[in-house]
Amino acid sequence: MSRVYFVGCGPGDPELITVKAKKLIQKADIVVYSGSLIPPPILKLCKKGKLHDASGLVREEIFDLLYNNSKNNKLVVRLHDGDPSIYGAIKEQIDNLEQKGIESIVIPGITAFLASAAALGTQLTLPGVTQTIIVTRAESRTKVPKREKISELAKHKATLIFYLSVHLLSNIVKESIAGGYKKSTPVAVIYRASWDDQKIIKGTLDDIVKKVRDEKITRTAIVIISDVIDPKTYEYSKLYDKKFSHGYRKAKVK
């Protein structure tokens, strides 16, 4: 059966690609990739195939590339930065391909917010602070449901992560405070996480807008709002507590 592979190549560092993704790119006849978001070393893995930059194409043109080549038994890879399932616009393509009898297979990749957490050297969930991560984007040309307004999500005081939104940081700060975060809540903005030119800006809701503006960062950055960035206190994990029993270890009471 003809098929298309939707492949995540990771956040930027070429070594953060999965083995499966690497093998598919190396074998591919056609690679349709996401413009400047894919690192050149990963594109160079495509030795025998033809590369198509999707940044200048519209939906129908991308679909025709995927469909016509897969129909002719070519190994077709639609290459995404990070993970295809997060703001990757793959559902519409998968559905259209399925209607034409083409199977789609998704290969996950490391997404930018995980690379950002690694760059910060922190956990996104921390006992006694928060056990919840909310991944979202600020409203602009793409609307969000009313229940997902930033001020509504902020009421949870969880780890709040924004994609595609650093240019709207001023509004993010305003809505987050309106939802219940203190002005002193830590914020981190990670520009091009895991790339050679990665940059980390840390601050609070009170001063992060000026800090990011001073660095002239307006795109390709993850915004994280959470006390986990700079916790004043937190609890140790129960899992490794000597008084805690589980299926693989008995408590050490002495």
Side-chain angles (χ1 to χ4, degrees):
M1 183 179 183
S2 298
R3 58 171 60 107
V4 171
Y5 292 90
F6 291 85
V7 177
C9 72
D13 181 345
E15 293 187 347
L16 291 178
I17 190 172
T18 65
V19 174
K20 182 172 282 190
K22 182 179 180 180
K23 287 180 177 178
L24 281 168
I25 296 167
Q26 289 172 330
K27 293 190 297 183
D29 298 306
I30 301 292
V31 174
V32 182
Y33 67 99
S34 304
S36 61
L37 298 174
I38 308 296
I42 287 181
L43 294 177
K44 288 178 181 177
L45 294 172
C46 182
K47 300 294 186 183
K48 66 167 190 167
K50 186 174 181 180
L51 294 167
H52 295 270
D53 184 353
S55 61
L57 304 178
V58 298
R59 181 185 296 108
E60 291 78 9
E61 291 170 325
I62 295 172
F63 175 77
D64 287 344
L65 273 172
L66 301 179
Y67 172 67
N68 291 329
N69 284 287
S70 59
K71 184 179 66 173
N72 290 321
N73 296 315
K74 303 282 189 182
L75 199 168
V76 180
V77 167
R78 175 64 172 103
L79 190 60
H80 288 259
D81 59 303
D83 180 272
S85 67
I86 299 182
Y87 303 112
I90 64 172
K91 178 63 174 170
E92 60 196 43
Q93 299 281 10
I94 289 172
D95 287 348
N96 288 333
L97 288 167
E98 185 178 332
Q99 290 173 13
K100 295 272 194 176
I102 306 295
E103 180 186 17
S104 296
I105 296 176
V106 180
I107 308 300
I110 296 174
T111 188
F113 85 78
L114 297 177
S116 297
L120 292 170
T122 192
Q123 293 178 222
L124 296 175
T125 58
L126 199 57
V129 180
T130 183
Q131 293 293 289
T132 301
I133 300 168
I134 299 174
V135 178
T136 189
R137 65 182 296 177
E139 183 174 73
S140 184
R141 288 185 295 178
T142 300
K143 301 299 180 183
V144 302
K146 186 176 181 179
R147 67 182 181 277
E148 295 178 14
K149 299 289 186 183
I150 297 170
S151 57
E152 291 296 312
L153 299 179
K155 291 177 181 178
H156 298 283
K157 297 195 178 96
T159 295
L160 191 50
I161 298 170
F162 291 89
Y163 276 76
L164 308 167
S165 303
V166 70
H167 61 295
L168 301 169
L169 186 57
S170 180
N171 187 59
I172 289 173
V173 167
K174 178 182 174 182
E175 292 295 312
S176 296
I177 293 170
Y181 282 109
K182 295 179 180 178
K183 290 184 178 180
S184 59
T185 303
V187 184
V189 173
I190 304 89
Y191 171 76
R192 285 167 63 92
S194 85
W195 290 71
D196 289 339
D197 57 349
Q198 170 186 286
K199 191 176 291 186
I200 298 171
I201 301 95
K202 293 172 71 174
T204 66
L205 285 173
D206 197 39
D207 62 16
I208 194 65
V209 172
K210 183 181 185 307
K211 288 185 174 183
V212 170
R213 188 183 297 126
D214 288 346
E215 293 290 340
K216 296 181 172 57
I217 292 173
T218 59
R219 58 187 296 183
T220 326
I222 294 290
V223 179
I224 303 177
I225 302 172
S226 181
D227 285 321
V228 301
I229 295 168
D230 187 20
K232 291 181 173 58
T233 184
Y234 63 91
E235 299 172 6
Y236 279 18
S237 168
K238 294 286 193 300
L239 182 61
Y240 300 106
D241 193 296
K242 63 183 180 182
K243 297 179 181 178
F244 189 78
S245 295
H246 55 71
Y248 294 93
R249 190 193 70 232
K250 292 183 178 180
K252 298 178 180 181
V253 293
K254 292 183 179 179

